[in-house]
Amino acid sequence: MITIRRFALALLAAGSVLASCPAEADSMRTLHGEALYRERMALPPGAVLSVWIEDTGATHGAPLVMAEQREEIHRGVPIPYTLTYPALPSGGHYMLNAEITVEGRRLFATPDGGTPLDHPRLLLRHVAGTAIRAPYGAWRIQSVGSLHFDNTAEAPGLTLQQDGTVYGTDGCNRLMGHFTLSGQALHFLPLAMTRKACLPALMAQEQQIGAFLPSVTSWSRDSDSHLVLHGSGSVGTMVLVPQDAQ
């Protein structure tokens, strides 16, 4: 009986240790697939394949990007990819999307609506006019002019929705309002904001972002498909990356 009891206690102790350790590996999923297109054409140097999972059933407006992977293409089709993503909450409507871009312009993309997750072999269609993917979605502000922001809990960010509403944070206070979008032209209407006092560094960050947003006149994407907002005159640019980017 002593031996049995010791063995049982050892099992309980081991179980408590395992329960106390975060099972990060168990919370992550890996999806292997490939992307291809039917056209007989070679991709230009610098072409990038982006694959992402969207929750298209999200009620906040624009689809919510749950995970995204980008990699420069160094081979012909089919192009393999590996996408690692966290366990997805139940109740969502998750779809797989992909695009091939060159300097931010789309050459190929999945059809509107995307593809179910259990169909990781993605057939991309040629995009007429090589349109740039719209700027909707949740973004983290990486830089404004020469000022760079670290990826911390106080990192500023913006969410642009398809109905023209925008909300986010400058790292200190919350922002909310509307914007207009016509082609590559983008303008923010006067934004409302909370009035919380923060540390001097965050207040300076707030002033920099607050001064830049009213000056925005257009948008584009860089070679990494990051969103770039262009200010009028010599105020420079604001670079935004997807919220889940490191």
Side-chain angles (χ1 to χ4, degrees):
M1 292 297 294
I2 294 176
T3 302
I4 294 175
R5 177 177 173 77
R6 286 178 178 171
F7 180 66
L9 288 174
L11 286 177
L12 288 173
S16 64
V17 170
L18 290 173
S20 64
C21 296
E24 294 184 3
D26 292 341
S27 67
M28 301 301 293
R29 306 288 186 269
T30 301
L31 180 67
H32 299 281
E34 57 186 17
L36 64 155
Y37 52 85
R38 291 197 175 106
E39 286 77 3
R40 293 186 176 181
M41 61 176 288
L43 295 172
V48 174
L49 172 66
S50 300
V51 182
W52 67 96
I53 297 174
E54 284 183 346
D55 180 2
T56 60
T59 58
H60 52 265
L64 181 63
V65 176
M66 309 301 293
E68 184 168 6
Q69 179 255 358
R70 297 186 186 93
E71 188 171 350
E72 189 168 338
I73 300 169
H74 297 288
R75 55 165 294 167
V77 294
I79 306 162
Y81 68 86
T82 300
L83 179 61
T84 301
Y85 60 96
L88 300 173
S90 59
H93 187 251
Y94 303 109
M95 302 297 287
L96 196 60
N97 283 274
E99 66 181 8
I100 295 174
T101 59
V102 177
E103 296 182 349
R105 291 192 170 273
R106 290 198 298 173
L107 296 181
F108 297 92
T110 44
D112 291 343
T115 302
L117 292 185
D118 57 356
H119 290 76
R121 193 169 192 262
L122 305 174
L123 179 60
L124 309 186
R125 296 179 180 175
H126 186 258
V127 178
T130 61
I132 301 177
R133 183 174 154 201
Y136 304 122
W139 302 91
R140 173 171 58 83
I141 301 175
Q142 187 179 69
S143 64
V144 177
S146 60
L147 184 62
H148 187 277
F149 305 114
D150 294 330
N151 185 10
T152 65
E154 293 80 24
L158 294 174
T159 296
L160 282 69
Q161 302 188 117
Q162 295 184 34
D163 62 359
T165 58
V166 57
Y167 61 88
T169 175
D170 55 26
C172 176
N173 281 286
R174 304 293 300 174
L175 309 171
M176 61 215 75
H178 295 83
F179 67 95
T180 61
L181 179 67
S182 178
Q184 299 301 117
L186 188 151
H187 299 273
F188 290 99
L189 303 180
L191 300 177
M193 62 182 297
T194 57
R195 295 293 180 182
K196 181 179 67 173
C198 298
L199 295 174
L202 291 180
M203 295 296 289
Q205 175 177 301
E206 173 186 273
Q207 293 175 1
Q208 186 89 358
I209 294 172
F212 180 84
L213 290 177
S215 74
V216 173
T217 59
S218 62
W219 67 279
S220 65
R221 286 183 182 264
D222 62 16
S223 59
D224 293 319
S225 289
H226 297 160
L227 177 62
V228 181
L229 302 182
H230 303 268
S232 59
S234 59
V235 297
T237 60
M238 173 183 285
V239 179
L240 303 94
V241 301
Q243 279 285 11
D244 61 343
Q246 298 301 312

